[in-house]
Amino acid sequence: MILTITMNPSVDISYQLDNLSINHVNRTNKLNKTAGGKGLNVTRVLNQLNEQVVASGLKGGKLGEFLEQSLNDHNIANHFFEIQGNTRNCIAILHEGNQTEILEGGPTISTEEIESFNEHFEELVSKSDVAVISGSLPKGVEPNFYSSLIKTCDKHSVPAILDCSNKALTEVLRGQYKPLLIKPNIDEIAELLGEQINEDIDSLKQSVSNPIFKNIEWVVVSLGSNGVFAKHKDKYYKVDIPKIKVVNPVGSGDSMIAGFASALINKATNEEILKKANTLGMLNAQETVTGYINLKNYDDLYNKIKIIEV
Ligand code: ATP
């Protein structure tokens, strides 16, 4: 079983308007409400791949109920921990080719809730083959929180895949317990290392070999339309992907993470792991809906990917 963790999920609302009129009432019947958050994008793609996946994290209030119901409607197993606060809304207004977003910060989590969630997490992790931890932390949660989750994974010999940025990631890199795989994109790794990074092989090799990544088996840098540069133990890979028609690349990183989780639990080779992850990233980029893939095009893209050990 694959466990996915989303600590600050949302109910994402998108409103489509012909034009956005500031300081006026804007009306629309074109709207969409979905369970959102990076971990839930990963979950949906894993579900499409027919992997046994359980989504967890924190939820609260009526929007928390909506989130749970929406996963149930898609037959996705979920076991969120109930908090006092309310799950947030994130709003995207699509107008005149633009996307204007309003993102709520979300609830503040109490120390008691965090302690109880840790127990909830341990119970789920003890039944899992891999844990995927994605996204930012809600208010009230210490930046080193993911280190404690990874420590629990370690206790149960469950590999962890971590996809987060900023302080939450820095703290894990500083900590004693390491995830099996991290996947910063080029901007995230540049921010982490505090320097601009060129996309040539030597610069990328140097970046992923930085001592801050010591003891992390897989360091994967996703490069959008340029594929991936990855380090696995002492091997380096450049993944070249074909040119595709892109519709909406948001969530491609999450889709890619689903690919890593699926390939890893199915004991794939390094080449298969990288191909699956990139195929899913590309498939997401070809769709309007975030965290959705059309598997009909899977083999065609998969066979066009080139893995070069460098
Ligand atoms: P997000 O945060 O939106 O989930 P990300 O920034 O973490 O995404 P990206 O590097 O944008 O991740 O994309 C992940 C993978 O998806 C890429 O390595 C690639 O395989 C595929 N991909 C993304 N954008 C494109 C694109 N424009 N063309 C082709 N493939 C893409």
Side-chain angles (χ1 to χ4, degrees):
M1 165 183 125
I2 302 172
L3 175 65
T4 64
I5 298 296
T6 314
M7 292 303 285
N8 200 10
S10 54
V11 172
D12 290 350
I13 307 180
S14 71
Y15 293 121
Q16 213 169 319
L17 302 175
D18 292 333
N19 45 46
L20 175 66
S21 187
I22 303 292
N23 210 22
H24 283 93
V25 173
N26 293 269
R27 296 182 196 277
T28 183
N29 290 315
K30 292 183 192 159
L31 68 143
N32 194 23
K33 296 187 186 183
T34 52
K38 291 177 74 63
L40 292 176
N41 294 336
V42 178
T43 306
R44 271 191 288 268
V45 174
L46 284 169
N47 188 53
Q48 277 197 270
L49 294 173
N50 284 326
E51 294 292 0
Q52 199 195 339
V53 56
V54 173
S56 184
L58 305 176
K59 69 156 179 88
K62 292 280 174 221
L63 294 185
E65 278 173 30
F66 175 93
L67 191 139
E68 194 174 53
Q69 188 57 48
S70 143
L71 292 169
N72 291 342
D73 290 346
H74 290 91
N75 291 320
I76 297 177
N78 57 88
H79 210 322
F80 276 77
F81 180 80
E82 184 81 29
I83 51 165
Q84 283 290 310
N86 294 310
T87 294
R88 62 189 175 143
N89 269 135
C90 288
I91 297 173
I93 306 167
L94 311 170
H95 57 102
E96 301 127 328
N98 298 310
Q99 180 159 336
T100 302
E101 297 193 13
I102 302 169
L103 308 182
E104 293 180 21
T108 300
I109 316 303
S110 69
T111 314
E112 295 74 38
E113 285 173 332
I114 284 300
E115 279 165 12
S116 304
F117 176 76
N118 279 331
E119 287 168 25
H120 177 91
F121 177 77
E122 179 153 13
E123 202 186 316
L124 290 170
V125 146
S126 66
K127 299 177 209 146
S128 304
D129 299 303
V130 61
V132 178
I133 302 168
S134 309
S136 57
L137 291 168
K139 286 179 283 191
V141 180
E142 292 297 326
N144 67 357
F145 175 70
Y146 285 151
S147 290
S148 66
L149 296 191
I150 292 168
K151 183 177 175 187
T152 305
C153 291
D154 190 81
K155 179 174 160 194
H156 291 274
S157 304
V158 172
I161 295 177
L162 179 69
D163 185 16
C164 65
S165 51
N166 302 322
K167 208 123 202 281
L169 177 57
T170 323
E171 288 294 327
V172 170
L173 297 177
R174 272 206 213 129
Q176 183 186 350
Y177 300 94
K178 304 291 180 183
L180 175 82
L181 183 149
I182 56 169
K183 189 217 70 62
N185 64 26
I186 189 84
D187 296 331
E188 288 163 347
I189 195 168
E191 192 182 316
L192 210 55
L193 301 178
E195 60 191 31
Q196 194 120 32
I197 295 163
N198 294 323
E199 288 193 23
D200 62 276
I201 305 262
D202 287 341
S203 309
L204 289 164
K205 229 178 191 177
Q206 204 180 339
S207 302
V208 296
S209 309
N210 191 292
I212 63 169
F213 301 123
K214 197 166 166 246
N215 297 330
I216 299 181
E217 203 172 301
W218 279 97
V219 180
V220 180
V221 182
S222 66
L223 306 167
S225 59
N226 290 329
V228 145
F229 189 85
K231 175 176 182 285
H232 179 243
K233 296 183 179 167
D234 55 356
K235 288 194 159 106
Y236 298 84
Y237 300 94
K238 172 79 181 78
V239 182
D240 286 339
I241 59 173
K243 281 252 160 309
I244 55 164
K245 190 168 164 280
V246 172
V247 179
N248 174 18
V250 176
S252 288
D254 303 330
S255 200
M256 171 168 256
I257 289 288
F260 280 119
S262 166
L264 283 162
I265 65 158
N266 288 301
K267 311 260 179 289
T269 63
N270 283 1
E271 182 160 324
E272 289 163 348
I273 291 170
L274 291 166
K275 281 192 176 180
K276 185 169 206 172
N278 277 273
T279 304
L280 294 175
M282 284 189 280
L283 286 175
N284 177 82
Q286 290 183 316
E287 301 295 325
T288 39
V289 181
T290 299
Y292 173 79
I293 50 168
N294 182 352
L295 284 166
K296 215 173 66 197
N297 302 327
Y298 186 94
D299 288 342
D300 180 46
L301 290 180
Y302 187 96
N303 292 325
K304 286 182 180 146
I305 296 173
K306 291 199 171 56
I307 313 283
I308 308 146
E309 202 180 324
V310 290

